[in-house]
Amino acid sequence: MNTHPFDAALRLTTEQSGIYTGNTSADYWNMVGPFGGVTAATALNAVLRHPALFGEPVSLTVNYAGPLLKGPFRVSASPRRTNRSTQHWLIEMTQTSAAGVDEVMLTATALTAVRRPTWGSEDSPMPVLPHPVGLPEEKPMTGVEWIHRYDMRFVEGAFPTQWNGQGSNSLTQLWMRDRPPRALDFCSLASMADIFFPRVYLRRALRIPAGTVSMTVYFHADGAQLTASGTGYLLGQAKAHAFRNGFFDQTSQLWNEDGLLLATTNQIVYYKE
Amino acid sequence: MNTHPFDAALRLTTEQSGIYTGNTSADYWNMVGPFGGVTAATALNAVLRHPALFGEPVSLTVNYAGPLLKGPFRVSASPRRTNRSTQHWLIEMTQTSAAGVDEVMLTATALTAVRRPTWGSEDSPMPVLPHPVGLPEEKPMTGVEWIHRYDMRFVEGAFPTQWNGQGSNSLTQLWMRDRPPRALDFCSLASMADIFFPRVYLRRALRIPAGTVSMTVYFHADGAQLTASGTGYLLGQAKAHAFRNGFFDQTSQLWNEDGLLLATTNQIVYYKE
């Protein structure tokens, strides 16, 4: 059986407890580094592989300090505090520069927890939209490799085809899943949280330099709910609140095909001009 | 001139570059520890006081690992990477237990940046609501000290007065400012980002154990815009997307009186039952 490219991209080798080495994946290459979703998933994977892991991911914040260079990297995950039902993690990714200096490429924190059944309420119903099967598959952008690793079907706010500065809205709604299909888990959900192209492209209908500097993902679903989502599509929705002096935000939700909210996620994104 | 209680609460003594000591403030005491907003502001303050600081805050994530005990604490801030216009920070707060062990009470990351004028758009207009002067001042909760340090005027979703399990909505809108008034800055804005009482209280009209475990703040405003906000009221709006198996989220916006969006913020909150 062939290894799925996502699993190949996430592969880590244990150097010592909590310290791993990996390699950037050509399959998920973006413009000047790997797709940030896979980098976030790799940070989370370092936590999930840790022998002291307690519970399942509830929250993940990744800060992209610099674009990973093609080649090997090191990722460290350290449980900073373990409580009765929660655990707090610190994660860093480094690469050794040509000059032999270790440079920090990513910092991250995560919260894992043992979740127990409680009263609950779903207060963010999935928008009623056409089913993905029947919608055309579309690629946002060209010339980047990672977009071929996802099946994306836009309902609203597709990648602009006319770069005429006439954009007026930052809302995107799209169905997505791994290509080829792969059963959902925390790492692939973390990765898909970063699938939305920069809102400034859509809002302005202008393609300008832009890149995520920090992303936070809240996992509302537990592992069993992710497993039950299987290889189905997820519906993702993203929009921005404000674009100002070099930074804008993106706020997003991800539901499974059954309408269960799996994650909410936010980013702050650098842009130029 | 008397020191404002917020400035007194944030006071740090430099042990060595990037390592500070502080003391919890009785003025901002919550139920089982200090008000989380002041703790977040203290973490940010450690960055702002650092001699290597570059730029102004753009993003802050604080993870509450454990409630600070009354007394001294240590906070460390370390710039992990400095780029041409951005800087990435790691922050930790520790306290020494009765057994002499250093325990991690908070982990945090922050992004500071030099912001440059760009095209911009305000896509999250402030709701049109009655002006705070003329609205009654209300205290959410009783028996906690920190609420007396804020002037809060609720428009929508005030603290429940009947705990009857009949809640139906998690939306709160309120005007807020420091009491006594204090000119806005990054630390006080970070603190006010945590002013919203747990959404589960409102959504259920039940008071159950709940506490923030992680909060992320995106600063859309720069220092000059905060200064221009002066001692005016901020409008805060908060709601939840989902309550499930022990955790819910809160998503919030904060505008100044002129309707400028100053910050967007998100939390993940633990709850029981």
Side-chain angles (χ1 to χ4, degrees):
Chain A
M1 203 175 110
N2 288 332
T3 302
H4 192 285
F6 188 75
D7 293 296
L10 256 56
R11 200 175 282 141
L12 293 176
T13 304
T14 304
E15 277 193 34
Q16 50 178 277
S17 181
I19 301 185
Y20 310 91
T21 47
N23 257 282
T24 59
S25 163
D27 288 334
Y28 288 89
W29 203 253
N30 194 7
M31 281 172 285
V32 285
F35 167 50
V38 163
T39 306
T42 301
L44 185 60
N45 194 29
V47 169
L48 297 180
R49 287 181 56 123
H50 198 289
L53 173 67
F54 180 60
E56 292 188 328
V58 169
S59 165
L60 172 71
T61 293
V62 293
N63 304 290
Y64 299 98
L68 283 169
L69 309 172
K70 183 179 182 305
F73 57 81
R74 180 176 295 190
V75 51
S76 65
S78 162
R80 299 299 294 154
R81 172 134 173 187
T82 304
N83 295 313
R84 221 166 31 159
S85 64
T86 59
Q87 192 172 46
H88 287 267
W89 293 87
L90 218 58
I91 305 130
E92 280 200 344
M93 290 176 77
T94 56
Q95 278 186 319
T96 308
S97 73
V101 179
D102 272 356
E103 275 206 295
V104 172
M105 312 309 273
L106 172 141
T107 65
T109 57
L111 172 79
T112 55
V114 174
R115 302 185 76 145
R116 297 189 175 88
T118 60
W119 170 88
S121 182
E122 305 294 321
D123 289 356
S124 191
M126 181 165 76
V128 178
L129 296 172
H131 193 270
V133 176
L135 292 173
E137 206 187 322
E138 280 177 75
K139 293 293 173 212
M141 302 174 264
T142 52
V144 296
E145 188 56 31
W146 72 269
I147 57 162
H148 301 293
R149 302 290 91 72
Y150 290 101
D151 173 353
M152 298 188 228
R153 297 169 189 235
F154 288 84
V155 181
E156 182 75 41
F159 201 68
T161 49
Q162 297 215 304
W163 300 100
N164 56 11
Q166 299 298 303
S168 62
N169 191 313
S170 73
L171 177 69
T172 284
Q173 296 172 318
L174 83 158
W175 295 99
M176 64 183 88
R177 63 172 176 177
D178 282 303
R179 161 174 299 279
R182 178 183 174 280
L184 192 68
D185 57 22
F186 285 106
C187 287
S188 63
L189 182 55
S191 184
M192 283 191 259
D194 191 38
I195 209 169
F196 308 97
F197 59 85
R199 299 297 84 199
V200 72
Y201 291 4
L202 186 63
R203 181 62 182 78
R204 297 187 73 181
L206 279 183
R207 198 163 173 181
I208 58 174
T212 303
V213 284
S214 185
M215 173 170 77
T216 291
V217 184
Y218 296 150
F219 299 99
H220 297 285
D222 60 21
Q225 290 174 323
L226 299 189
T227 300
S229 304
T231 58
Y233 285 90
L234 304 189
L235 178 72
Q237 176 172 278
K239 70 179 178 100
H241 288 100
F243 302 81
R244 200 187 304 159
N245 295 342
F247 293 92
F248 65 89
D249 68 315
Q250 300 195 179
T251 185
S252 313
Q253 299 85 42
L254 295 148
W255 295 267
N256 71 8
E257 273 188 56
D258 294 332
L260 186 72
L261 186 68
L262 302 180
T264 50
T265 175
N266 290 275
Q267 300 200 348
I268 186 98
V269 186
Y270 163 82
Y271 70 106
K272 208 172 170 174
E273 294 171 30
Chain B
M1 203 174 110
N2 288 333
T3 303
H4 192 285
F6 188 75
D7 294 297
L10 257 57
R11 200 176 282 142
L12 293 176
T13 305
T14 304
E15 277 194 35
Q16 51 177 278
S17 180
I19 302 185
Y20 311 91
T21 48
N23 257 281
T24 59
S25 163
D27 288 335
Y28 288 89
W29 202 253
N30 195 7
M31 281 171 284
V32 285
F35 166 50
V38 164
T39 306
T42 301
L44 185 60
N45 194 28
V47 169
L48 297 180
R49 285 181 58 123
H50 199 288
L53 173 66
F54 180 60
E56 293 187 327
V58 170
S59 166
L60 172 71
T61 293
V62 293
N63 305 289
Y64 300 97
L68 282 169
L69 308 171
K70 183 180 182 306
F73 58 81
R74 180 175 294 191
V75 52
S76 64
S78 162
R80 300 299 294 153
R81 173 134 173 188
T82 304
N83 295 314
R84 220 166 33 158
S85 63
T86 59
Q87 191 171 46
H88 286 266
W89 293 86
L90 217 56
I91 306 128
E92 279 200 343
M93 290 175 78
T94 56
Q95 278 187 319
T96 308
S97 74
V101 179
D102 273 356
E103 275 206 295
V104 173
M105 311 310 274
L106 172 140
T107 64
T109 58
L111 173 80
T112 56
V114 174
R115 303 184 76 144
R116 298 190 175 89
T118 58
W119 170 89
S121 183
E122 305 294 322
D123 289 355
S124 190
M126 180 166 75
V128 178
L129 296 172
H131 193 270
V133 176
L135 292 174
E137 204 187 325
E138 280 177 76
K139 295 291 172 211
M141 301 175 266
T142 51
V144 297
E145 188 56 32
W146 73 268
I147 58 162
H148 301 292
R149 304 290 90 75
Y150 290 101
D151 173 354
M152 300 187 227
R153 298 171 189 233
F154 288 84
V155 181
E156 182 75 42
F159 201 67
T161 50
Q162 297 215 300
W163 300 99
N164 57 10
Q166 300 297 303
S168 62
N169 191 312
S170 73
L171 177 69
T172 283
Q173 296 172 320
L174 83 157
W175 295 99
M176 64 183 89
R177 64 172 175 176
D178 282 305
R179 163 176 295 280
R182 178 181 175 280
L184 192 68
D185 58 21
F186 285 106
C187 286
S188 63
L189 182 55
S191 184
M192 283 191 260
D194 191 38
I195 209 169
F196 309 97
F197 59 85
R199 299 297 86 199
V200 73
Y201 291 4
L202 186 62
R203 181 63 182 78
R204 297 187 72 184
L206 280 182
R207 199 162 172 180
I208 57 172
T212 303
V213 286
S214 184
M215 173 170 78
T216 291
V217 184
Y218 296 150
F219 300 97
H220 297 285
D222 60 22
Q225 290 174 322
L226 299 190
T227 300
S229 303
T231 58
Y233 286 88
L234 305 189
L235 179 71
Q237 174 172 280
K239 70 180 178 99
H241 288 98
F243 302 80
R244 200 187 303 160
N245 294 342
F247 293 92
F248 65 89
D249 68 315
Q250 299 195 179
T251 185
S252 313
Q253 299 85 41
L254 294 148
W255 296 266
N256 72 9
E257 273 189 56
D258 295 333
L260 186 72
L261 186 68
L262 302 180
T264 48
T265 176
N266 291 275
Q267 301 199 347
I268 187 98
V269 185
Y270 163 81
Y271 70 107
K272 210 172 167 174
E273 296 170 27

